[in-house]
Amino acid sequence: MVALETIVSLCKRRGFIFPGSEIYGGLSGTWDYGPLGAALKDNIKRLWWRRFVTSRDDMFGVDAAILMRREVWQASGHTQDFSDPMVECRRCKRLFRADQTEVSKCPECGGQFEEKKQFNMMFKTHAGAEENPESLSYLRPETAQGMFVNFKNIIDSFHPRLPFGLAQIGKAFRNEIAPRDFLFRTREFEQMEIEYFVRPGEWREHFERFRAEMNEWIARDLGLDGAKVCEREVPDDERAHYSRRTIDFEFDFPIGRKELYGLAYRTDFDLARHSERSGADFGWRDEKTDEFFIPHCIEPSFGLDRTVLALLCDAYREDEMAGEKRVYLKFSPTVAPIKAAVFPLLKNKPPLVEKARHVYGMLKGEFGDIMFDDDGNIGKRYRRQDEVGTPFCVTIDFETLDNDTVTVRARDSGKQERVLQADLIGFLRSRFK
Ligand code: ATP
């Protein structure tokens, strides 16, 4: 398994991800996505939205505000319960998560710990010019609540029938005590979440359906190695305060086997609480049985940044090609930030460059994420593309000028074949599926 530092340095060197506020020494727990990282993340979001929203007719996409009133978080239980146990070292004053330190002494300096304290992880802020208790507000620590509070709006405007879901992709913020391990534990991250509302007696079947669907997403859409993914039934004492059942989908990251996604049965906890506290009517009269109840909720929750990290770690390969060591990212074409690169064999031969520009324009119009590169020898250009996971390179050479064929070189095998320029789009499209 690749070391995490190798991935971090590749990401920085090749423009995927940079440390946040880097020129001022960095801000712990923040990372900035560069062009390739942003493209990779965007591809994941689009795949997710297609699978879980646009290809279904029981799902409604929303995009709620990040800032929410404090009453939301009081009702959801977050102001009270969304905390981690924290210990401080008496000697070096470093802070640790008490549930993540295996020994009772500071792992950095061996000092004794102070008494354990609870630390609430929500970021506080004030909405408006005055800083007073009334203006206190929070950045959301999960996207979920933005969906619960809009439950009635969706019913009133779309009149769905049970079961149906709300889906959202967006930022969440947690003031993690010890952010670490690159994208794995950050203070600002993105989630892709679904709140799926069901009849209380039917939660098990929907839970199982989403469990299967999440596995499909992991295997088919992302193409992650199944041997590195496993499910864990989360025991009673580890579950969040709102959950009656949770399964974690864990991935073998370089830092060990850790949570990638979660699937939780949140019962009617959130809707009931919000209804009680805000007075909103979230009651449901069942069209089949005429029974009255508050819908129950199944929540598949996907961390986007952990998905990016899992994809990078899973795709990383080192091998030898033409007697040289090379590094490549074995991304599936659906997630690869660059789908193909186009090269003129030589940059000082205008007919080659002109033709290459034309092929580049044609592919860019069709696929979008296409790159042009005429810098350095062709072997170096292949290596550069391999390292960022570009599945195909298209070279315009002298033969192209004779017979309108181009060389298409596949990333993983290095195999080259000649393809008629007129067939190029079809050739690539068939391989991008
Ligand atoms: P952990 O136990 O690792 O702190 P969690 O159980 O608190 O995670 P959830 O509240 O279930 O996480 O959040 C849903 C998803 O959001 C997680 O499965 C993960 O992918 C992502 N996530 C949570 N916290 C972070 C974080 N600090 N940085 C990056 N992603 C995160």
Side-chain angles (χ1 to χ4, degrees), residues 67-93:
L67 283 173
M68 298 182 85
R69 281 179 69 125
R70 64 187 182 285
E71 287 88 343
V72 171
W73 306 108
Q74 283 160 355
S76 68
H78 282 78
T79 41
Q80 209 199 322
D81 293 326
F82 197 65
S83 50
D84 275 339
M86 177 176 75
V87 284
E88 185 182 345
C89 171
R90 271 187 204 154
R91 193 186 300 164
C92 70
K93 304 286 173 207

Side-chain angles (χ1 to χ4, degrees), residues 303-322:
L304 182 50
D305 309 79
R306 285 189 192 175
T307 306
V308 170
L309 183 58
L311 278 173
L312 284 164
C313 298
D314 196 40
Y316 186 89
R317 300 282 192 289
E318 286 176 8
D319 68 359
E320 221 181 84
M321 194 173 267

Side-chain angles (χ1 to χ4, degrees), residues 97 174 176 183-186 189 191 259-262 301-303 306:
R97 249 176 79 168
R174 296 184 186 178
E176 296 278 357
L183 304 176
F184 183 80
R185 190 171 301 287
T186 57
F189 55 96
Q191 292 184 317
E259 175 178 340
L260 175 63
Y261 304 142
S301 179
F302 305 72
R306 285 189 192 175

